[in-house]
Amino acid sequence: MHYPYQITSYEQYQAEYKRSIDDPAEFWSSVAENFQWRKKWHTTLNWNFTDPKIEWFKGGKLNITENCLDRHLEKSGDMPALIWEPNDPEEHHRIITYRKLHEKVCQFSHVLKNNGVKKGDRVCIYMGMIPELAIAILACARVGAIHSVIFGGFSAQSIADRLYDAQAEFIVTCDGAYRGAKDIPLKSVIDDSLIGNRTVKKVIVATRTRTAVSMIKGRDVWWEDEIKKVETLGLHDFPAEEMDAEDPLFILYTSGSTGKPKGVVHTCGGYMVYTNYTFINVFQYQTGDIHFCTADIGWITGHSYIVYGPLSAGATSLMFEGVPTFPDAGRFWDIVDKFKVNILYTAPTAIRSLMGFGLGPLQGKNLSSLKVLGTVGEPINEEAWHWYDEHVGKHRCPIVDTWWQTETGDCLISNLAGITPAVPSWATLPMPGLQMVLVDENGKELVQEGEETISGNLCIKGPWPGILRTTYGDHERCRTNYFATYPGMYFTGDGALKDKNGFYRITGRVDDVLNVSGHRIGTAELENAINMHAGVVESAVVGYPHDVKGQGIYAYVIYQGSHGQDTHGTADLVRKDIIQTITRIIGAIAKPDKIQFVSGLPKTRSGKIMRRILRKIAEGDLDSVGDTSALLDPAVVDEIKNGKL
Ligand code: WT7
């Protein structure tokens, strides 16, 4: 397939960028023409960042799955849509063509309908990385239901909170999931999350691990049984629900600087156009290429670059169930070799972790099929960038450093593979349509001049089609979180540099959000969880540089339980209790790396915790803690320094 909107030279990028800024509506309208709409939109763009209100392609009618499946059937029905590689390399992989995927999505759409799912209903999906996960997502989109995928590392409590927030009536899950040597009992976690739940009516359970599960009559049904009913009736097609461009497509929860995760809402039309546009341009996808994004579909990266981006482009998307180090640290390279992968998109944390195993795991692996490499999720350090370039790309493959967020839907800043320049650890240039600005704390726009490199808080001036529309059930929260800090602009929460070439380098979060292994964790959420432990009086969490994870989690805890830190030998046990509490409240992904017991926290006279001081200590920078005279109790700083882990 030819993509008329694929940028093929640096000059063309510059021209398209200019065109997109001069007239965003005209620009995105011309891209949107390339999709299958039931009815064309009447208004390309209507927006303000005050409410905020953002509408793209208003009046346009479509179903995203017709763009991801039906429209490819005639020409590429026999082309692989999904290649699935199981956790265990001994188990057989699966190849699902566009025709087969269309059929499976249609059948599961019938299953959803038979179980009462209607347009606009919220369906929570909690599954491992098996094709049925992609099928469930697409079937939701086909019937017009709003999917809310929850990553398998979240606890029952986290799921319960999300079910409540979204008032979800349906769940699709698995008995269990394989991840490396582990077997995660997903259905049992779901059962715990449903204790006291009043909204969920049906739970559809796909079989993967065949671990024993409880199946409650009237509520729980097996995926396979439900599919059989549909098959018996010979139902292979399902007419897709007609959606408005601005109807919600999905909710995805993400942490912020407050205690409660927020449900980021993306809509059908704009998300589809922008995901597809960035997929084709950033990775320079060519028909027939095999695209391997190593993310889990539980995160936005998987939504956009395993499911919707590649499938809307008629691409072949490789989905991997396992982890990079199982059965050994050569697994990614085995997969690249086995399927002749052309595009590999992964996270800096994975690269750093694999670097730690040396070059042995790469030996004997044929990586010559690779054409493009990508990274996402956190700043990539130069050492990791060069290792990736030398040992994986063999200096032949451009590396795209893609900066974006759950809220932005898809990439906003990235070089275009082989088209625009790559600079190690710089995300470089904004995508067409994106007007980035750096501002100081007062919101004053900083202007780059001459040779200088400027540094500020990264904001965006206008809307692009993939921007979030709201936070589910709480629009005011969306406004205060993203549009109120610097009025008239979307604030990313990241700091960045801009150099004389107009290139951006992301320096990291400037709010109280940590980025651990490319996953976002709000310190307030983590502190809430720690404070729920019976003996904890108060806590403060900060990040510190971590060789593999990028940021590690450092928790300072005031503990006064009967199993106190002063009782020799019990501190480690208390740490384990606290970690257990966090695992229950949030999930295993939020475990702190270090827990230091303290008798007090550095606070200003008005009671505000001085995180700057705690951060310095956690970083091991004990001498530059700075002036502590304004503190309520300056002595506590020395105590904390002395007890540093
Ligand atoms: C935060 C968003 C984008 C999908 C995965 C994470 C950080 C993301 C980069 C990059 C430096 C990056 C930012 C951003 N981030 N990509 N290429 N270079 N930092 O999505 O969980 O919504 O987190 O990840 O800090 O704000 P997310």
Side-chain angles (χ1 to χ4, degrees), residues 285-364:
Y285 186 83
Q286 306 294 322
T287 307
D289 282 352
I290 294 177
H291 175 80
F292 177 19
C293 165
T294 71
D296 191 289
I297 293 179
W299 308 108
I300 189 73
T301 310
H303 282 58
S304 299
Y305 298 114
I306 297 178
V307 182
Y308 289 115
L311 297 180
S312 66
T316 298
S317 181
L318 196 154
M319 183 174 172
F320 173 41
E321 183 182 33
V323 297
T325 49
F326 182 84
D328 60 50
R331 192 68 196 277
F332 278 180
W333 324 129
D334 287 330
I335 295 174
V336 170
D337 193 343
K338 177 173 174 188
F339 297 104
K340 306 285 167 257
V341 168
N342 305 108
I343 304 168
L344 175 66
Y345 188 34
T346 193
T349 186
I351 299 169
R352 289 191 299 264
S353 134
L354 295 176
M355 274 167 74
F357 291 88
L359 297 178
L362 279 148
Q363 259 154 31

Side-chain angles (χ1 to χ4, degrees), residues 254 300-301 376-379 401-407 492 494 506 509 515 518 520:
T254 187
I300 189 73
T301 310
V376 60
E378 46 171 325
D401 177 350
T402 64
W403 174 85
W404 54 295
Q405 310 179 301
T406 305
E407 295 84 347
T492 64
D494 280 320
I506 310 302
R509 302 290 305 195
N515 186 326
R520 204 197 290 194

Side-chain angles (χ1 to χ4, degrees), residues 448-568:
Q448 192 282 328
E449 280 170 334
E451 291 292 300
E452 65 168 352
T453 295
I454 56 169
S455 163
N457 292 342
L458 185 64
C459 295
I460 306 167
K461 264 186 178 165
W464 60 99
I467 188 175
L468 86 162
R469 301 303 195 265
T470 189
T471 44
Y472 194 81
D474 192 351
H475 194 62
E476 176 58 9
R477 189 150 178 231
C478 174
R479 190 185 72 79
T480 51
N481 251 286
Y482 307 105
F483 300 93
T485 318
Y486 304 114
M489 288 187 262
Y490 169 87
F491 176 42
T492 64
D494 280 320
L497 306 178
K498 183 181 184 184
D499 75 0
K500 58 172 195 262
N501 301 308
F503 292 0
Y504 290 89
R505 176 185 188 148
I506 310 302
T507 48
R509 302 290 305 195
V510 293
D511 51 9
D512 288 324
V513 172
L514 307 182
N515 186 326
V516 180
S517 301
H519 298 150
R520 204 197 290 194
I521 298 175
T523 52
E525 198 185 337
L526 203 44
E527 287 162 8
N528 283 353
I530 296 174
N531 296 349
M532 284 181 76
H533 180 64
V536 170
V537 178
E538 200 179 358
S539 64
V541 169
V542 297
Y544 71 98
H546 187 286
D547 286 347
V548 174
K549 298 179 180 181
Q551 264 189 316
I553 303 175
Y554 198 118
Y556 298 91
V557 174
I558 305 176
Y559 183 79
Q560 280 179 2
S562 53
H563 302 71
Q565 75 280 15
D566 47 355
T567 321
H568 189 72

